[in-house]
């Protein structure tokens, strides 16, 4: 079973459905690793041990009779603890709801559930996902297995840490300001934030910036999850009126050049590289490793053009939309229990409380301006590339106050390249791009035009075939 731990979900599923391994064996192997290592990493807020093993046994019974359906049937996976699962503890990373047991399934999980996975547990998150690194009042900081003194990022920090440490092959995340891409970068894994509206998830207010998405070691596993969670739903009026994304066999069989020729009638891509959006520039090691990874595409004949853009002051607009969307769900609890909320939640909710109607409408206008700016860029370039993060993972609880000599926002300054993409609505991936001199992962962000997830997956799959980042496993966690 040891050699199965770090295999792709796709390979694990083949082995499960051909009865070469059992769901119980695989589930128990992951649960044993979680029990052995997670006290150090804090990847999970809830471990679903008893139910997971029972579910795995039932899966094996169905598989033995060839009486099963679902792309994920019997596969153990992890779900972020911002996603309600009926009958399962769902804390949202909050002391206020530490004993909450969900009485419904969130829409993204409803779609996943139909495919029959085994749920290992709920992964760690900052309270209501309101921070780019994972700390809350329920548990110690979530840490990266590459150096447990360092943060796993956030808000899907638990998911990122779990994939990197070999606790599962698929973990679900969510991204409103970088919360898939940040921990993917800090943990050296693949992650994709879909186009805004691609993944329906009903909320109490219009969803301007947030999307659920998969975090995986291998690109094909993320594609598998996109097939399951994407597609319009009338339950979410802000979702795109588009069918689920499909990755046909031909998609994987075609070379990158063949795919581009067939889909876009071109052989080569025009890719814009930028190392900042008008604010602090990245660490020199981060920039160097990202450009090295991009050079793989350049060596294939794709054009890399270094550009400069300045989006201006857009942080406040993003933060206003971000904080208001969370505050509207918890306004009454906050009035009566302010001191039970984390410091950063209080910071966000105080911001939300004090925003005027004029400021909020201006924030929406800024979002539209950012979308227009990116649409203009995509008239010239097929893709945009940047660092995912300006630095590698920092010491837990100590986000950088200065990057490359420039002072940055004390709480969100390390998210310079992620939140602008949420305002743009464009899909984006984190590509593992090597390590810094301390052995910490570096991520390359590639951004595509709206609804071009398939192009991103194709590019990512090509880079994966060269870089082979799936082989990189933190030494302590190797099997």
């Amino acid at each position: 079973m040891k050699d199965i731990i770090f295999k792709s979900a796709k390979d694990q599923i083949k082995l499960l459905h051909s009865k070469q391994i059992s769901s119980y064996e695989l589930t128990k192997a992951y649960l044993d690793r979680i029990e052995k290592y997670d006290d150090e990493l804090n990847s999970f807020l809830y471990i679903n041990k008893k139910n997971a093993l029972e579910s795995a046994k039932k899966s094996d019974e169905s598989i033995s009779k060839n009486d099963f359906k679902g792309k994920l049937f019997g596969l153990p996976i992890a779900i972020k603890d911002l996603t309600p699962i009926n009958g399962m503890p769902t804390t949202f990373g909050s002391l206020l709801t530490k004993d909450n047991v969900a009485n419904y399934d969130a829409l993204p999980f409803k779609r996943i559930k139909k495919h029959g996975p085994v749920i290992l547990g709920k992964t760690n998150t900052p309270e209501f996902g309101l921070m780019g690194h994972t700390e809350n009042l329920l548990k110690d900081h979530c840490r990266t297995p590459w150096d447990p003194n360092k943060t796993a990022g956030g808000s899907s920090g638990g998911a990122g840490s779990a994939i990197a440490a070999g606790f599962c092959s698929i973990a679900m995340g969510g991204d409103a300001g970088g919360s898939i891409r940040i921990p993917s970068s800090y943990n050296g894994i693949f992650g994709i934030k879909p186009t805004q509206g691609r993944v329906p998830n009903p909320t109490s207010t219009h969803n301007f910036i947030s999307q659920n998405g998969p975090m995986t070691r291998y690109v094909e596993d993320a594609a598998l999850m996109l097939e399951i969670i994407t597609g319009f739903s009338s339950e979410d009026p802000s979702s795109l009126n588009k069918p689920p994304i499909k990755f046909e066999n031909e998609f994987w069989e075609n070379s990158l050049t063949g795919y581009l020729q067939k889909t876009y009638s071109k052989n080569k891509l025009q890719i814009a590289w930028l190392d900042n959006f008008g604010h602090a520039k990245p660490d020199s090691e981060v920039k160097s490793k990202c450009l090295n990874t991009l050079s793989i595409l350049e060596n294939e004949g794709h054009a890399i053009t270094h550009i400069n853009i300045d989006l201006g002051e857009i942080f406040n607009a993003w933060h206003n939309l971000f904080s208001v969307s969370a505050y509207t769900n918890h306004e009454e609890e906050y009035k009566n229990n302010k001191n039970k909320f984390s410091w950063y939640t209080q910071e966000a909710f105080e911001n939300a409380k004090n925003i005027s109607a004029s400021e909020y409408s201006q924030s929406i206008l800024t979002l539209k301006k950012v979308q227009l700016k990116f649409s203009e860029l995509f008239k010239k370039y097929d893709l945009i590339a940047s660092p995912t993060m300006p630095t590698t993972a920092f010491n837990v609880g100590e986000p950088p106050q200065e990057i490359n000599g420039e002072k940055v926002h004390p709480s969100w300054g390390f998210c310079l390249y992620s939140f602008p993409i949420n305002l743009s609505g464009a899909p984006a991936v984190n590509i593992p791009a090597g390590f810094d001199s301390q052995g910490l992962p570096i991520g390359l962000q590639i951004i595509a035009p709206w609804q071009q997830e398939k192009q991103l997956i194709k590019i990512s799959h090509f880079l994966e075939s060269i870089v082979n980042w799936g082989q990189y496993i933190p030494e302590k966690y190797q099997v």
Side-chain angles (χ1 to χ4, degrees), residues 272-284:
W273 159 263
L274 51 88
D275 63 9
N276 73 100
F277 288 105
H279 299 285
K281 294 188 175 184
D283 175 88
S284 58

Side-chain angles (χ1 to χ4, degrees), residues 113-131:
K113 186 178 181 179
K114 288 179 181 178
H115 290 269
V118 173
I119 307 305
L120 293 166
K122 306 295 289 295
T123 55
N124 205 348
T125 174
E127 189 169 45
F128 311 129
L130 289 171
M131 177 58 74

Side-chain angles (χ1 to χ4, degrees), residues 217-238:
R217 182 173 293 275
Y218 301 97
V219 174
E220 284 185 280
D221 296 342
L224 170 63
M225 294 307 294
L226 288 178
E227 289 189 323
I228 291 169
I229 63 174
T230 58
F232 174 75
S233 170
S234 59
E235 292 181 47
D236 181 0
S238 66

